[in-house]
Amino acid sequence: LVGATPLGPLVFRMDAAQVTAALGATMLAMGTTLTPEDFARVARRPRPVGIGFAAQFCIMPLAAVVAARLWRLDGALAAGVCLVGCCPGGVASNLVALIARADV
């Protein structure tokens, strides 16, 4: 349970299904702010999108493998670091970028 502490109120306790639903609702709400101009801008400037794609799916996993080897992690921990390195950014970073009106 998220937020399940002996001192915390029951209202803050969420199970996995509720967390998934909340994250999905947040992403849907953020997606509704996109306009056709946003997509046109991406089409006009594909290089930054390509760099971001390469960074997320090539550089990050490679950096995770290098870190796991440098830290001499055992198999399970090394696999965990590599999995985290392969995961795309979370909802929180996307939400912060939206609030900051970032040009990403």
Side-chain angles (χ1 to χ4, degrees), residues 25-102:
T26 302
M27 292 303 292
L28 177 66
M30 289 173 52
T32 61
T33 66
L34 294 173
T35 65
E37 174 56 30
D38 294 327
F39 293 100
R41 226 175 339 147
V42 169
R44 285 192 305 269
R45 294 178 35 204
R47 187 168 186 231
V49 175
I51 291 169
F53 184 87
Q56 182 63 58
F57 296 107
C58 297
I59 297 171
M60 290 294 291
L62 181 62
V65 169
V66 169
R69 289 190 180 194
L70 284 174
W71 296 330
R72 296 184 177 128
L73 299 177
D74 67 338
L77 287 175
V81 169
C82 291
L83 285 172
V84 170
C86 293
C87 293
V91 175
S93 64
N94 296 336
L95 188 58
V96 170
L98 176 70
I99 292 169
R101 300 180 195 262

Side-chain angles (χ1 to χ4, degrees), residues 8-34:
L10 290 175
V11 75
F12 292 116
R13 294 183 184 200
M14 296 174 67
D15 64 11
Q18 291 171 321
V19 171
T20 301
L23 293 175
T26 302
M27 292 303 292
L28 177 66
M30 289 173 52
T32 61
T33 66
L34 294 173

